[in-house]
Amino acid sequence: MIKTPTKSDRLQLKLLLLIQKSMQIVLPPEVEALVQRQLTSGKYQNAIEVILAGIKLLEQQEDIYQARLQDVQQEARIGWEASQRGKVVDGSTAMAQIRANVRSRYGVSDET
């Protein structure tokens, strides 16, 4: 069975093809030092692996952001629909509910 390439696989292939075309990237000294530290640690065999790891993290961060954005949009939709049905509370009641939810979810006390 042929494996469908992932987004990361396609990105790695594109990067390797670009590098093979003599693409040169000039890194700021602090980024170059970070790459060198990662190579020295032995976790990566070459700079390309370090850069690809960073790109994968960026992709993961974007995926997390998009998922959270969808959650917030869904919550906003639910709130809007509730308000259209007249199921609303005044601001101080809403804030009290939010504070209670934060306290129960994160164990935050009133003094914090």
Side-chain angles (χ1 to χ4, degrees):
M1 181 156 101
I2 298 175
K3 178 185 160 201
T4 304
T6 65
K7 186 162 90 172
S8 182
D9 292 336
R10 290 189 304 272
L11 182 62
Q12 185 172 5
L13 179 60
K14 285 180 185 178
L15 186 57
L16 291 172
L17 289 173
L18 286 172
I19 291 167
Q20 289 176 355
K21 292 180 181 182
S22 300
M23 179 180 176
Q24 293 183 3
I25 300 173
V26 178
L27 300 174
E30 60 274 8
V31 175
E32 192 173 333
L34 173 63
V35 169
Q36 192 57 50
R37 283 194 306 274
Q38 294 300 313
L39 292 173
T40 302
S41 76
K43 290 189 273 187
Y44 303 96
Q45 295 181 14
N46 56 53
I48 298 304
E49 287 184 5
V50 176
I51 292 168
L52 287 173
I55 291 170
K56 286 178 185 179
L57 285 173
L58 184 61
E59 285 179 330
Q60 290 172 358
Q61 183 181 21
E62 181 61 24
D63 290 345
I64 291 168
Y65 170 80
Q66 288 299 324
R68 182 62 189 132
L69 178 61
Q70 289 175 355
D71 289 347
V72 169
Q73 289 171 334
Q74 177 64 21
E75 290 170 9
R77 234 181 335 271
I78 290 168
W80 172 254
E81 290 167 1
S83 73
Q84 294 300 96
R85 293 189 308 270
K87 295 186 175 190
V88 295
V89 294
D90 64 81
S92 60
T93 302
M95 289 308 298
Q97 289 173 348
I98 291 168
R99 286 186 188 100
N101 287 340
V102 168
R103 282 192 300 275
S104 68
R105 183 179 287 175
Y106 300 107
V108 177
S109 68
D110 289 334
E111 294 82 39
T112 319

